[in-house]
């Protein structure tokens, strides 16, 4: 079969990081393109009205196109923006967030915002996950769109301690001393050490500490932590803004990145996190900081919110005590009665920082019933953010401000912080 080859001009970058073009009145999406590129492309597959293509030849490069410095670029699935100069990466991210807000969120005129650039465009990643194929002796990242491991000896976005850890793992892979049954390694950089999971020479995964914005966090490679530590101070500032008051709720709290600064600003804080290891670290981090006014519920967010509602709605103390126990709040000295649980209705502030999939409908609906005075939504996926904002705005909230952070240079990913009130 003859493969179809066409010439197109890239109009702009789309959420997801592909370039948009049109050919024969059809929409074409082209990975690794730059806006303004004149390209010869090959249609690889078709889905509905959209063709997905690959670049055969750059006929006329866009003025923002640069030579990708990484030898694995194009094969490795880790980076997909190295073909753009840095300003073009930032511009594309503004456009991607706006596009999602408009098309998915129905928000035509969002507040103005910029993407705060990363201080380091390379060597910024302080957390990584490496795939390991023990049969083919490959260690690195999945190839783009596949589960094949791209063997990566040097990764240009890793911080030096993580690059050293990758090199060490590679040496062990080559001398046959890596365990055969491991599929991936996760690593995170602390102030003095690197935590690696699964551990190699030690019995258990090493805990490390990380000092950020005046707080000290204990954590390890098994729990979530943000990838780009350089941008965490401005991210925390943007998320908390002027927030302060009596009651706050934090959903998807991890090891407590926002929990500690929130606990300093509110009289009572409850944070919810389903990962047991992360919740344990968050408790430890609060205790080490001497913050006794915050409690962590080790629960699924949707279930916790619904349990909380039952406790608030049902005046019977026995029932609410049972619900408090179930909601993980029984240790809280602040929340002793059904009335106090009910006081969590309309809290002063609610911060949510869900995974890429965003918040479930159950979560958004429960937030709408809880009616916090202010909401801060921290998101690493503008598409699910826009979907959730649409529901919050339809539920009576106003979008007050928007900020974005380039936590992941050389990739299409972007972190967004949105404030709402209602
Ligand atoms: C994007 S991370 C944010 C963590 C933290 N805010 C931070 O910045 O380090 C999302 C967190 O939500 C947790 N999580 C995911 N699904 C959850 C759920 N259904 N209920 C509670 N926590 C959940 C994950 O374990 C992870 O720690």
């Amino acid at each position: 079969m003859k493969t179809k080859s066409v010439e197109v001009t890239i109009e702009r970058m789309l959420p997801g990081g592909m370039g948009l073009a049109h050919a024969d009145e059809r929409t074409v999406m082209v990975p690794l393109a730059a806006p303004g590129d004149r390209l010869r492309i090959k249609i690889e597959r078709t889905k509905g009205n959209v063709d997905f293509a690959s670049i055969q030849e750059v006929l006329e490069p866009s003025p923002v196109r640069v030579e990708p410095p990484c030898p694995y670029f194009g094969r490795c699935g880790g980076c997909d923006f190295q073909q753009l100069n840095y300003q073009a990466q930032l511009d594309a991210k503004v456009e991607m967030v706006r596009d999602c807000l408009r098309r998915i969120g129905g928000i035509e005129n969002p507040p103005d915002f910029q993407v705060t650039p990363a201080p380091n465009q390379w060597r910024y990643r302080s957390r990584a996950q490496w795939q390991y194929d023990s049969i083919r002796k490959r260690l690195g990242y999945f190839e783009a769109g596949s589960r094949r491991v791209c063997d990566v000896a040097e990764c240009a976005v890793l911080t030096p301690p993580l690059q050293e850890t990758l090199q060490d793992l590679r040496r062990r892979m080559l001398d046959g001393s890596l365990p055969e049954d491991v599929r991936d390694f996760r690593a995170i950089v602390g102030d003095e050490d690197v935590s690696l999971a699964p551990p190699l020479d030690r019995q258990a995964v090493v805990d490390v500490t990380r000092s950020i914005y005046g707080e000290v966090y204990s954590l390890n490679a098994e729990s979530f932590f943000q990838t780009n530590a350089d941008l965490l101070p401005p991210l925390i500032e943007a998320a908390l803004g002027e927030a302060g008051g009596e009651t706050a709720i934090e959903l998807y709290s991890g090891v407590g990145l926002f929990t500690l600064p929130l606990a300093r600003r509110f009289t009572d804080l409850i944070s919810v996190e389903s990962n047991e290891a992360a919740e344990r670290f968050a408790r430890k981090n609060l205790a080490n900081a001497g913050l006794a006014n915050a409690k962590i519920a080790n629960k699924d967010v949707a279930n916790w919110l619904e349990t909380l509602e039952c406790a608030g709605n049902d005046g019977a103390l026995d029932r609410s005590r049972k619900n408090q126990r179930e909601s993980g709040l029984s240790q809280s000295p602040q929340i002793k009665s059904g009335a106090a649980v009910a006081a969590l209705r309309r809290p002063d502030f609610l911060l949510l920082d869900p995974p890429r999939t965003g918040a479930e409908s159950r979560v958004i609906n429960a937030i709408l019933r809880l009616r916090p005075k202010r909401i801060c939504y921290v998101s690493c996926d503008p598409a699910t953010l826009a979907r959730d904002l649409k529901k919050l705005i339809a539920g009576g909230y106003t979008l007050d401000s928007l900020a974005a952070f380039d936590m992941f240079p050389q990739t299409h990913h972007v972190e967004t912080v949105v404030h709402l009130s209602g």
Side-chain angles (χ1 to χ4, degrees):
M1 192 180 85
K2 200 169 174 291
T3 49
K4 196 177 168 200
S5 160
V6 273
E7 288 184 19
V8 293
T9 301
I10 299 298
E11 296 156 28
R12 62 191 174 91
M13 303 305 283
L14 291 172
M18 295 200 208
L20 170 73
H22 285 91
D24 301 335
E25 297 187 2
R26 289 181 61 80
T27 300
V28 190
M29 297 208 195
V30 190
L32 314 182
D37 268 349
R38 182 85 194 139
L39 303 171
R40 189 188 325 282
I41 56 164
K42 185 173 109 186
I43 308 296
E44 300 283 356
R45 64 191 169 91
T46 289
K47 199 174 165 198
N49 275 343
V50 181
D51 292 335
F52 293 85
S54 62
I55 300 177
Q56 283 191 313
E57 190 186 347
V58 178
L59 302 169
E60 259 175 65
S62 150
V64 301
R65 177 174 273 281
V66 292
E67 190 57 38
C70 171
Y72 309 102
F73 183 71
R75 195 154 50 85
C76 171
C79 294
D80 58 358
F81 259 20
Q82 288 189 20
Q83 77 282 11
L84 301 176
N85 72 30
Y86 192 53
Q87 187 56 49
Q89 293 185 25
L90 298 174
D91 294 344
K93 291 179 190 194
V94 171
E95 212 172 330
M96 283 160 43
V97 173
R98 282 188 171 282
D99 184 325
C100 289
L101 292 176
R102 196 181 58 245
R103 269 187 321 107
I104 305 171
I107 303 163
E108 282 303 331
N109 295 306
D112 268 345
F113 71 98
Q114 293 190 328
V115 179
T116 301
N120 295 301
Q121 295 153 29
W122 301 95
R123 312 228 169 280
Y124 65 84
R125 272 199 92 106
S126 50
R127 185 170 70 96
Q129 181 172 12
W130 300 302
Q131 308 301 326
Y132 174 42
D133 179 341
S134 60
I135 296 164
R136 292 175 189 79
K137 292 270 178 273
R138 289 183 185 161
L139 178 69
Y141 305 95
F142 283 134
E143 290 184 1
S146 123
R147 307 293 280 179
R148 223 174 14 225
V149 178
C150 178
D151 198 39
V152 171
E154 188 178 344
C155 170
V157 293
L158 294 179
T159 51
L162 278 197
Q163 174 57 33
E164 277 170 36
T165 309
L166 179 63
Q167 269 163 244
D168 180 42
L169 288 173
R170 169 165 303 282
R171 269 193 298 275
R172 290 168 189 251
M173 174 178 78
L174 296 177
D175 72 19
S177 64
L178 275 191
E180 299 270 302
D181 56 340
V182 174
R183 290 283 155 270
D184 60 57
F185 290 94
R186 276 151 294 137
I188 187 154
V189 180
D191 292 337
E192 273 138 24
D193 203 354
V194 171
S195 174
L196 181 71
L200 293 178
D201 302 330
R202 313 194 213 199
Q203 294 293 315
V205 179
V206 171
D207 293 356
V208 293
T209 54
R210 189 89 220 205
S211 311
I212 289 159
Y213 203 50
E215 307 287 0
V216 179
Y217 299 89
S218 204
L219 55 125
N220 73 22
E222 284 183 318
S223 39
F224 176 89
F225 203 68
Q226 302 283 348
T227 300
N228 190 337
D230 299 334
L231 276 175
L232 292 182
L235 180 79
I236 294 169
E237 271 176 16
L240 269 59
E242 299 298 311
E246 290 292 314
T247 46
I249 294 180
E250 184 197 13
L251 307 176
Y252 312 95
S253 50
V255 303
L257 180 71
F258 300 112
T259 317
L260 272 61
L262 278 172
R264 295 194 189 278
R265 293 173 178 225
F266 288 89
T267 313
D268 281 321
L269 167 68
I270 302 176
S271 301
V272 188
E273 166 61 48
S274 62
N275 179 284
E276 223 171 279
E279 180 255 358
R280 245 192 343 268
F281 280 121
R283 273 181 204 276
K284 179 175 168 185
N285 293 331
L286 283 167
N288 288 345
L291 294 164
N293 58 324
K295 300 294 160 202
I296 319 281
N298 183 207
K299 289 276 164 186
D300 168 79
V301 162
N303 291 344
W304 182 82
L305 282 166
E306 287 169 6
T307 315
L308 184 74
E309 282 184 300
C310 289
N313 288 337
D314 186 345
L317 205 58
D318 287 350
R319 171 80 193 279
S320 72
R321 281 203 177 116
K322 177 171 172 280
N323 282 322
Q324 284 168 40
R325 263 197 314 280
E326 284 172 1
S327 62
L329 301 177
S330 55
Q331 299 307 308
S332 168
Q334 280 79 29
I335 300 162
K336 283 206 168 75
S337 68
V341 172
L344 278 173
R345 284 181 157 274
R346 200 140 173 81
D348 293 320
F349 192 67
L350 182 143
L351 184 148
L352 72 161
D353 181 10
R356 203 165 287 287
T357 46
E360 295 167 59
S361 287
R362 279 167 73 202
V363 171
I364 298 292
N365 292 339
I367 291 174
L368 287 173
R369 291 191 293 272
L370 208 60
R371 291 220 71 76
K373 291 177 193 144
R374 289 176 187 283
I375 298 175
C376 171
Y377 193 138
V378 181
S379 159
C380 58
D381 185 333
T384 55
L385 170 71
R387 178 202 66 197
D388 295 346
L389 285 180
K390 185 175 188 174
K391 296 178 197 161
L392 290 170
I393 291 167
Y397 280 88
T398 305
L399 202 168
D400 294 330
S401 71
L402 198 65
F405 296 86
D406 194 21
M407 301 287 271
F408 320 97
Q410 317 308 331
T411 80
H412 72 273
H413 296 289
V414 58
E415 190 85 5
T416 311
V417 176
V418 171
H419 283 271
L420 302 120
S421 55

Short mmCIF file of all heavy atoms in Angstrom, two decimals, residues 12-51:
data_model
loop_
_atom_site.label_atom_id
_atom_site.label_comp_id
_atom_site.label_asym_id
_atom_site.label_seq_id
_atom_site.Cartn_x
_atom_site.Cartn_y
_atom_site.Cartn_z
N ARG A 12 -0.81 25.89 14.95
CA ARG A 12 -0.54 26.17 16.37
C ARG A 12 -0.35 24.86 17.11
O ARG A 12 -0.57 23.79 16.53
CB ARG A 12 -1.69 26.98 17.00
CG ARG A 12 -3.01 26.28 17.02
CD ARG A 12 -4.12 27.24 17.41
NE ARG A 12 -5.42 26.63 17.30
CZ ARG A 12 -6.06 25.98 18.25
NH1 ARG A 12 -5.49 25.83 19.44
NH2 ARG A 12 -7.24 25.44 18.06
N MET A 13 0.03 24.99 18.39
CA MET A 13 0.23 23.79 19.21
C MET A 13 -1.05 23.50 19.98
O MET A 13 -1.70 24.41 20.50
CB MET A 13 1.39 23.98 20.19
CG MET A 13 2.71 24.35 19.53
SD MET A 13 3.23 23.18 18.27
CE MET A 13 3.83 21.85 19.29
N LEU A 14 -1.39 22.23 20.06
CA LEU A 14 -2.63 21.82 20.72
C LEU A 14 -2.35 21.25 22.11
O LEU A 14 -1.25 20.76 22.37
CB LEU A 14 -3.31 20.72 19.90
CG LEU A 14 -3.87 21.15 18.55
CD1 LEU A 14 -4.32 19.93 17.77
CD2 LEU A 14 -5.02 22.13 18.74
N PRO A 15 -3.37 21.28 23.00
CA PRO A 15 -3.20 20.57 24.27
C PRO A 15 -2.81 19.13 23.96
O PRO A 15 -3.34 18.53 23.03
CB PRO A 15 -4.60 20.63 24.89
CG PRO A 15 -5.27 21.78 24.24
CD PRO A 15 -4.70 21.89 22.86
N GLY A 16 -1.89 18.59 24.69
CA GLY A 16 -1.38 17.26 24.36
C GLY A 16 -0.05 17.38 23.63
O GLY A 16 0.68 16.40 23.49
N GLY A 17 0.26 18.60 23.13
CA GLY A 17 1.60 18.87 22.61
C GLY A 17 1.79 18.68 21.12
O GLY A 17 2.89 18.88 20.61
N MET A 18 0.72 18.31 20.37
CA MET A 18 0.91 18.11 18.93
C MET A 18 0.64 19.41 18.18
O MET A 18 -0.10 20.27 18.66
CB MET A 18 -0.04 17.04 18.42
CG MET A 18 0.26 15.68 19.01
SD MET A 18 -0.45 14.40 18.00
CE MET A 18 -0.70 13.14 19.21
N GLY A 19 1.23 19.49 16.97
CA GLY A 19 0.95 20.63 16.11
C GLY A 19 -0.33 20.38 15.33
O GLY A 19 -0.62 19.25 14.95
N LEU A 20 -1.08 21.48 15.08
CA LEU A 20 -2.34 21.36 14.33
C LEU A 20 -2.12 21.83 12.90
O LEU A 20 -1.52 22.88 12.66
CB LEU A 20 -3.41 22.24 14.99
CG LEU A 20 -4.70 22.43 14.19
CD1 LEU A 20 -5.54 21.15 14.21
CD2 LEU A 20 -5.52 23.59 14.74
N ALA A 21 -2.61 21.04 11.94
CA ALA A 21 -2.58 21.45 10.53
C ALA A 21 -3.87 21.00 9.88
O ALA A 21 -4.65 20.25 10.48
CB ALA A 21 -1.37 20.81 9.84
N HIS A 22 -4.11 21.48 8.66
CA HIS A 22 -5.27 21.02 7.89
C HIS A 22 -4.79 20.59 6.51
O HIS A 22 -3.93 21.26 5.92
CB HIS A 22 -6.34 22.11 7.78
CG HIS A 22 -7.09 22.29 9.07
ND1 HIS A 22 -6.69 23.20 10.03
CD2 HIS A 22 -8.18 21.65 9.56
CE1 HIS A 22 -7.52 23.10 11.07
NE2 HIS A 22 -8.43 22.18 10.82
N ALA A 23 -5.34 19.50 6.02
CA ALA A 23 -5.01 19.04 4.67
C ALA A 23 -6.26 18.38 4.11
O ALA A 23 -6.88 17.56 4.78
CB ALA A 23 -3.86 18.03 4.71
N ASP A 24 -6.62 18.74 2.89
CA ASP A 24 -7.82 18.19 2.23
C ASP A 24 -9.03 18.32 3.15
O ASP A 24 -9.80 17.36 3.32
CB ASP A 24 -7.62 16.69 1.88
CG ASP A 24 -6.43 16.48 0.96
OD1 ASP A 24 -6.10 17.44 0.23
OD2 ASP A 24 -5.84 15.39 1.00
N GLU A 25 -9.16 19.47 3.79
CA GLU A 25 -10.28 19.75 4.68
C GLU A 25 -10.36 18.79 5.87
O GLU A 25 -11.41 18.60 6.46
CB GLU A 25 -11.60 19.76 3.91
CG GLU A 25 -11.61 20.86 2.89
CD GLU A 25 -12.94 21.04 2.20
OE1 GLU A 25 -13.88 20.31 2.54
OE2 GLU A 25 -12.99 21.91 1.33
N ARG A 26 -9.25 18.17 6.16
CA ARG A 26 -9.22 17.31 7.34
C ARG A 26 -8.23 17.88 8.36
O ARG A 26 -7.28 18.56 7.99
CB ARG A 26 -8.78 15.88 6.96
CG ARG A 26 -9.85 15.14 6.16
CD ARG A 26 -9.39 13.74 5.84
NE ARG A 26 -9.13 12.93 7.03
CZ ARG A 26 -10.06 12.33 7.77
NH1 ARG A 26 -11.33 12.44 7.44
NH2 ARG A 26 -9.74 11.61 8.83
N THR A 27 -8.52 17.59 9.64
CA THR A 27 -7.63 18.03 10.70
C THR A 27 -6.47 17.04 10.82
O THR A 27 -6.71 15.83 10.82
CB THR A 27 -8.41 18.08 12.03
OG1 THR A 27 -9.49 18.98 11.86
CG2 THR A 27 -7.55 18.54 13.18
N VAL A 28 -5.28 17.57 10.92
CA VAL A 28 -4.12 16.69 11.07
C VAL A 28 -3.35 17.09 12.33
O VAL A 28 -3.12 18.27 12.58
CB VAL A 28 -3.15 16.81 9.85
CG1 VAL A 28 -2.09 15.71 9.92
CG2 VAL A 28 -3.90 16.74 8.55
N MET A 29 -2.96 16.10 13.10
CA MET A 29 -2.15 16.35 14.29
C MET A 29 -0.76 15.77 14.07
O MET A 29 -0.63 14.61 13.69
CB MET A 29 -2.79 15.72 15.51
CG MET A 29 -4.15 16.32 15.78
SD MET A 29 -4.47 16.20 17.52
CE MET A 29 -6.20 16.51 17.57
N VAL A 30 0.24 16.63 14.36
CA VAL A 30 1.62 16.24 14.05
C VAL A 30 2.49 16.40 15.30
O VAL A 30 2.73 17.52 15.75
CB VAL A 30 2.19 17.11 12.91
CG1 VAL A 30 3.53 16.55 12.42
CG2 VAL A 30 1.22 17.27 11.77
N PRO A 31 2.98 15.29 15.85
CA PRO A 31 3.88 15.42 17.00
C PRO A 31 5.23 15.99 16.60
O PRO A 31 5.64 15.88 15.44
CB PRO A 31 4.04 13.97 17.52
CG PRO A 31 3.47 13.08 16.49
CD PRO A 31 2.71 13.89 15.48
N LEU A 32 5.91 16.61 17.56
CA LEU A 32 7.28 17.13 17.42
C LEU A 32 7.36 18.25 16.37
O LEU A 32 8.43 18.48 15.78
CB LEU A 32 8.26 16.01 17.08
CG LEU A 32 8.14 14.73 17.92
CD1 LEU A 32 9.20 13.71 17.53
CD2 LEU A 32 8.23 15.03 19.41
N ALA A 33 6.24 18.94 16.15
CA ALA A 33 6.21 20.04 15.18
C ALA A 33 6.39 21.37 15.89
O ALA A 33 6.37 21.44 17.13
CB ALA A 33 4.87 20.01 14.45
N ALA A 34 6.56 22.43 15.10
CA ALA A 34 6.65 23.79 15.66
C ALA A 34 5.67 24.67 14.89
O ALA A 34 5.49 24.49 13.67
CB ALA A 34 8.08 24.32 15.51
N PRO A 35 5.04 25.65 15.56
CA PRO A 35 4.06 26.48 14.86
C PRO A 35 4.74 27.28 13.76
O PRO A 35 5.76 27.91 13.99
CB PRO A 35 3.51 27.41 15.96
CG PRO A 35 4.50 27.35 17.08
CD PRO A 35 5.21 26.04 16.98
N GLY A 36 4.18 27.19 12.54
CA GLY A 36 4.80 27.88 11.40
C GLY A 36 5.65 26.95 10.54
O GLY A 36 6.01 27.30 9.42
N ASP A 37 5.96 25.75 11.03
CA ASP A 37 6.71 24.77 10.23
C ASP A 37 5.96 24.47 8.93
O ASP A 37 4.74 24.26 8.94
CB ASP A 37 6.77 23.41 10.97
CG ASP A 37 7.98 23.23 11.85
OD1 ASP A 37 8.91 24.04 11.76
OD2 ASP A 37 7.98 22.26 12.63
N ARG A 38 6.71 24.41 7.82
CA ARG A 38 6.16 23.84 6.58
C ARG A 38 6.74 22.43 6.50
O ARG A 38 7.97 22.24 6.50
CB ARG A 38 6.61 24.72 5.40
CG ARG A 38 6.10 24.32 4.07
CD ARG A 38 4.72 24.88 3.79
NE ARG A 38 4.14 24.19 2.63
CZ ARG A 38 2.88 23.81 2.53
NH1 ARG A 38 2.03 24.03 3.52
NH2 ARG A 38 2.43 23.21 1.45
N LEU A 39 5.87 21.42 6.48
CA LEU A 39 6.33 20.03 6.64
C LEU A 39 5.81 19.11 5.55
O LEU A 39 4.69 19.31 5.05
CB LEU A 39 5.83 19.47 7.99
CG LEU A 39 6.20 20.20 9.27
CD1 LEU A 39 5.42 19.60 10.45
CD2 LEU A 39 7.69 20.11 9.53
N ARG A 40 6.62 18.11 5.22
CA ARG A 40 6.05 16.98 4.49
C ARG A 40 5.77 15.91 5.56
O ARG A 40 6.66 15.56 6.35
CB ARG A 40 7.04 16.43 3.45
CG ARG A 40 6.36 15.38 2.54
CD ARG A 40 7.30 14.64 1.61
NE ARG A 40 8.41 15.41 1.11
CZ ARG A 40 8.35 16.30 0.12
NH1 ARG A 40 7.19 16.53 -0.49
NH2 ARG A 40 9.43 16.95 -0.27
N ILE A 41 4.52 15.47 5.59
CA ILE A 41 4.13 14.52 6.66
C ILE A 41 3.59 13.23 6.06
O ILE A 41 3.17 13.20 4.90
CB ILE A 41 3.07 15.14 7.60
CG1 ILE A 41 1.83 15.59 6.78
CG2 ILE A 41 3.62 16.28 8.42
CD1 ILE A 41 0.61 15.84 7.64
N LYS A 42 3.59 12.21 6.87
CA LYS A 42 3.01 10.93 6.47
C LYS A 42 1.86 10.64 7.42
O LYS A 42 2.03 10.70 8.65
CB LYS A 42 4.07 9.84 6.61
CG LYS A 42 3.62 8.50 6.12
CD LYS A 42 4.78 7.53 6.12
CE LYS A 42 4.58 6.52 7.22
NZ LYS A 42 5.66 5.60 7.45
N ILE A 43 0.67 10.35 6.86
CA ILE A 43 -0.48 10.02 7.72
C ILE A 43 -0.27 8.61 8.26
O ILE A 43 -0.14 7.65 7.50
CB ILE A 43 -1.82 10.09 6.94
CG1 ILE A 43 -1.97 11.43 6.21
CG2 ILE A 43 -3.00 9.81 7.87
CD1 ILE A 43 -2.05 12.66 7.08
N GLU A 44 -0.23 8.50 9.56
CA GLU A 44 0.05 7.20 10.19
C GLU A 44 -1.23 6.46 10.54
O GLU A 44 -1.32 5.24 10.44
CB GLU A 44 0.87 7.39 11.48
CG GLU A 44 2.22 8.05 11.27
CD GLU A 44 3.25 7.09 10.70
OE1 GLU A 44 2.93 5.90 10.53
OE2 GLU A 44 4.36 7.55 10.38
N ARG A 45 -2.23 7.22 11.02
CA ARG A 45 -3.51 6.58 11.37
C ARG A 45 -4.58 7.65 11.39
O ARG A 45 -4.28 8.86 11.45
CB ARG A 45 -3.42 5.84 12.70
CG ARG A 45 -3.17 6.69 13.87
CD ARG A 45 -2.84 5.88 15.12
NE ARG A 45 -2.35 6.80 16.14
CZ ARG A 45 -3.11 7.40 17.03
NH1 ARG A 45 -4.42 7.17 17.05
NH2 ARG A 45 -2.61 8.25 17.91
N THR A 46 -5.82 7.16 11.39
CA THR A 46 -6.95 8.07 11.30
C THR A 46 -7.95 7.70 12.37
O THR A 46 -8.18 6.52 12.62
CB THR A 46 -7.59 7.91 9.89
OG1 THR A 46 -6.68 8.48 8.96
CG2 THR A 46 -8.92 8.60 9.78
N LYS A 47 -8.49 8.72 13.02
CA LYS A 47 -9.54 8.46 14.01
C LYS A 47 -10.64 9.48 13.78
O LYS A 47 -10.41 10.69 13.99
CB LYS A 47 -8.94 8.61 15.41
CG LYS A 47 -9.76 7.94 16.49
CD LYS A 47 -9.04 7.99 17.81
CE LYS A 47 -9.99 7.68 18.94
NZ LYS A 47 -9.50 8.10 20.22
N GLY A 48 -11.79 9.03 13.30
CA GLY A 48 -12.88 9.96 12.98
C GLY A 48 -12.42 10.96 11.94
O GLY A 48 -11.88 10.59 10.89
N ASN A 49 -12.56 12.24 12.27
CA ASN A 49 -12.20 13.31 11.34
C ASN A 49 -10.75 13.73 11.43
O ASN A 49 -10.35 14.69 10.78
CB ASN A 49 -13.04 14.56 11.69
CG ASN A 49 -14.37 14.49 11.00
OD1 ASN A 49 -14.53 13.71 10.06
ND2 ASN A 49 -15.31 15.29 11.47
N VAL A 50 -10.00 13.05 12.28
CA VAL A 50 -8.64 13.52 12.55
C VAL A 50 -7.60 12.51 12.04
O VAL A 50 -7.74 11.30 12.25
CB VAL A 50 -8.44 13.73 14.08
CG1 VAL A 50 -7.04 14.25 14.37
CG2 VAL A 50 -9.49 14.68 14.63
N ASP A 51 -6.59 13.04 11.35
CA ASP A 51 -5.46 12.20 10.93
C ASP A 51 -4.29 12.45 11.86
O ASP A 51 -4.03 13.60 12.24
CB ASP A 51 -5.03 12.57 9.50
CG ASP A 51 -6.09 12.20 8.46
OD1 ASP A 51 -6.88 11.27 8.74
OD2 ASP A 51 -6.14 12.87 7.41
#
